[in-house]
Amino acid sequence: MFVEPPIALTYDDVLLVPRRSRIASRRNVDTCSPFSRRIQVATPVVSANMDTVTEADMAIAMARLGGIGVIHRFMSLETEAQQVRKVKRSESIFIENPYALHPNNTVGDALKLMDEQGITGILVTDEHGLLEGILTSRDLLFQEEMHVRIREVMTPRERLITAPVGTDVETAKRLFAKHKIEKLPLVDEHGKLKGLVTSKDIYKRVLFPNASKDDRGRLRVAAAVGVVGDYLERAEELQAAGADALVIDIAHGHSENALRALNAIRGKLGDAVELVAGNVATAEGVHDLAAAGADAIKVGVGPGSICITRIVAGVGVPQLSAVVECAEAGDKAGVPIIADGGIQASGDITKAMAAGASTVMIGNLLAGTRESPGVTITRGGRKFKICRGMASLEAAVQRQHRDSMGQGLGEDLDSVVPEGVEAMVPFRGDVAEVITQLVGGLRSGMSYCDARTIPELRRNAQFVRMTEAGRRESTFHGVELV
Ligand code: XMP
């Protein structure tokens, strides 16, 4: 039976009404918000788990800027766990298990490890874990003989400055300044290597005061898993690698499959890791995932820039209405909502947060940055990067290619019905510049709405609906861009 359907709106259909504001400067607003039940972020932006958006470099940059990145799952589980480890090790005041080689290893071994792990120094320990020396890129500068043993080129133990386990940051800083060193190995009373402090990590703490960090000072990172195949084993490996949250990644999150996977992962891993589920677009979806124990729920069926689900399947809910409905259900369940997809400009972030989202997930706007995977392409003198839907044909072809390389991710291409496209997006430089603009816009929107905090923004939000003429008026018009 056909019933007159309700109208659902999206970001471009509405504007927020300005109100009398006490806020003198955009700097005076606080954008802190929960990513999940137990993880707060200073910057409520999450980079999407897409293979053209988030791998370790993007996740590191996002966490430094106060947000969080979700490593995509379209790689072998070993590679994904390795990506998580890269983020967790990238910056921590005290590195607990620094990379170490034996004095009998070769210069070639050291260079390989440095290259693989993106590190500039390796500690040298004997078979009992006793510190024997350090090898830095300076020691290897003009070293062309790959077979030379590390013991011949390293800085030996007797010339090293070390500190005892438990050394605090201030003492470490003094030692760095006094001895003009960059790496401080921590040893126990027997001279066994127990950790490492680097001057770079301490410097970054000053440089990125809002960074999202766990209670051990490591950058936070989330990682995606599917709902079939190796997903349980993958979830275990990712947790062991240090992932702060797992994102159960399925287009139709309000499905028996998703609920089964959520239960199975929770059963296996317990409460130690946050579980994000989705995607849904209804209150019922939020209710069911929350009841199954989700710690955050992604909302968005078809709003993404590269999505064609609504065209192909005829299914979806315009994103603003979906967020409003899901956020109300999320409030009842005590679960934060991630508004996923369809953010085209910073104003859309303000609208999403005002509608009740706790964070927004972004693909397209971040895919064009230096930190996203993939190379930069030049066309007609302009630079681009690729952004593609994970349900696109191109993504399926890539998965099949990996399968033929033995990574077990393949699918039958003949039966693929793409629900995404592959596209070029303008190169946008460093992700820091993009996030500065996006968060600057959110701060501005909050000050127009007299909101010092995200909950205040939601309380103060008064939306008006626009006509087509209103939309035309909202962007530049009657002028030629220079
Ligand atoms: P934006 O608009 O930020 O959206 O680029 C990113 C989000 O889009 C979703 N996504 C897809 N949706 N088919 C879809 O229907 C796809 O192939 C696809 N790939 C990504 C996803 O939720 C992402 O975070």
Side-chain angles (χ1 to χ4, degrees):
M1 189 182 61
F2 184 80
V3 182
E4 179 75 4
I7 285 181
L9 304 176
T10 195
Y11 301 128
D12 273 354
D13 291 317
V14 299
L15 284 173
L16 284 157
V17 179
R19 51 188 282 158
R20 179 172 172 153
S21 180
R22 300 156 298 164
I23 297 165
S25 159
R26 294 199 225 161
R27 278 196 299 276
N28 298 342
V29 305
D30 176 0
T31 57
C32 273
S33 194
F35 163 71
S36 62
R37 276 198 236 246
R38 287 171 294 172
I39 297 178
Q40 283 278 330
V41 286
T43 302
V45 180
V46 182
S47 66
N49 42 295
M50 294 164 64
D51 67 357
T52 49
V53 180
T54 311
E55 290 182 357
D57 288 352
M58 176 66 79
I60 290 169
M62 288 299 296
R64 281 184 184 154
L65 296 165
I68 190 165
V70 186
I71 309 269
H72 72 88
R73 66 185 168 90
F74 300 100
M75 54 183 114
S76 70
L77 74 86
E78 292 79 18
T79 313
E80 192 178 355
Q82 174 62 23
Q83 293 278 317
V84 168
R85 274 193 292 275
K86 195 168 165 195
V87 182
K88 295 312 278 185
R89 298 184 78 111
S90 67
E91 198 173 305
S92 70
I93 299 301
F94 297 99
I95 302 165
E96 280 169 32
N97 295 301
Y99 292 109
L101 286 175
H102 192 273
N104 288 340
N105 279 110
T106 63
V107 164
D109 298 333
L111 285 171
K112 184 162 172 275
L113 186 63
M114 284 173 163
D115 186 46
E116 276 169 6
Q117 305 303 336
I119 51 176
T120 55
I122 292 174
L123 293 165
V124 187
T125 53
D126 72 5
E127 48 285 4
H128 307 295
L130 292 171
L131 183 65
E132 293 269 316
I134 191 169
L135 188 72
T136 67
S137 33
R138 248 183 299 171
D139 296 318
L140 297 174
L141 210 52
F142 298 108
Q143 189 53 250
E144 284 166 5
E145 304 291 331
M146 291 300 125
H147 60 273
V148 168
R149 298 212 184 274
I150 288 177
R151 70 165 75 255
E152 291 170 39
V153 284
M154 69 185 191
T155 305
R157 171 86 175 94
E158 51 280 11
R159 296 220 316 266
L160 277 189
I161 307 296
T162 63
V165 179
T167 299
D168 62 31
V169 173
E170 289 311 313
T171 311
K173 268 191 195 164
R174 274 198 298 277
L175 289 170
F176 285 130
K178 183 168 169 205
H179 299 286
K180 299 190 173 49
I181 51 170
E182 289 170 358
K183 295 190 166 59
L184 182 66
L186 303 179
V187 289
D188 68 10
E189 62 277 22
H190 308 295
K192 257 194 174 172
L193 176 66
K194 288 290 169 189
L196 175 70
V197 188
T198 75
S199 57
K200 205 161 77 184
D201 288 333
I202 293 184
Y203 178 62
K204 281 186 203 146
R205 200 158 88 152
V206 181
L207 216 56
F208 301 107
N210 291 328
S212 305
K213 293 197 166 171
D214 64 19
D215 49 15
R216 282 157 61 186
R218 302 175 304 173
L219 292 178
R220 286 206 189 272
V221 61
V225 297
V227 300
V228 289
D230 68 4
Y231 76 100
L232 260 187
E233 197 190 344
R234 191 177 279 256
E236 259 185 314
E237 286 290 319
L238 294 171
Q239 184 193 30
D244 297 274
L246 298 182
V247 173
I248 301 170
D249 172 29
I250 169 168
H252 186 20
H254 194 195
S255 63
E256 300 292 334
N257 255 355
L259 289 161
R260 182 190 38 74
L262 178 54
N263 276 318
I265 296 174
R266 182 65 82 203
K268 191 98 182 169
L269 304 185
D271 283 336
V273 67
E274 297 281 88
L275 294 184
V276 180
N279 281 18
V280 300
T282 61
E284 292 76 31
V286 171
H287 174 270
D288 290 353
L289 291 176
D295 297 302
I297 294 174
K298 282 207 296 156
V299 171
V301 176
S305 59
I306 37 52
C307 301
I308 51 170
T309 294
R310 293 179 186 172
I311 311 291
V312 172
V315 173
V317 178
Q319 185 69 344
L320 186 82
S321 294
V323 170
V324 169
E325 178 175 325
C326 290
E328 279 167 13
D331 290 345
K332 285 189 197 131
V335 178
I337 296 301
I338 303 168
D340 176 16
I343 300 292
Q344 298 182 57
S346 53
D348 297 339
I349 303 181
T350 319
K351 293 175 191 176
M353 308 296 284
S358 284
T359 56
V360 294
M361 178 173 263
I362 295 183
N364 183 322
L365 294 184
L366 300 175
T369 61
R370 199 181 308 283
E371 289 83 351
S372 72
V375 293
T376 311
I377 311 163
T378 305
R379 284 269 172 91
R382 290 173 60 211
K383 286 184 174 177
F384 297 90
K385 286 189 91 166
I386 296 292
C387 177
R388 68 170 170 223
M390 295 319 308
S392 65
L393 186 62
E394 292 80 0
V397 169
Q398 171 94 30
R399 285 194 286 271
Q400 219 206 30
H401 173 67
R402 285 187 188 132
D403 190 45
S404 66
M405 310 282 286
Q407 294 204 23
L409 293 163
E411 54 205 277
D412 175 11
L413 284 186
D414 290 340
S415 63
V416 170
V417 180
E419 290 190 20
V421 295
E422 180 174 87
M424 291 198 311
V425 291
F427 179 65
R428 295 179 199 273
D430 292 347
V431 71
E433 293 166 30
V434 174
I435 295 290
T436 302
Q437 291 302 316
L438 293 178
V439 176
L442 169 64
R443 287 175 175 276
S444 175
M446 289 171 73
S447 77
Y448 274 109
C449 295
D450 189 32
R452 289 179 206 272
T453 63
I454 300 292
E456 252 182 45
L457 173 65
R458 190 168 170 201
R459 273 199 300 280
N460 292 354
Q462 191 195 334
F463 283 104
V464 283
R465 205 171 145 189
M466 273 186 287
T467 60
E468 196 47 52
R471 246 189 311 278
R472 276 201 304 277
E473 186 189 60
S474 298
T475 182
F476 57 84
H477 49 271
V479 291
E480 281 287 322
L481 282 189
V482 283

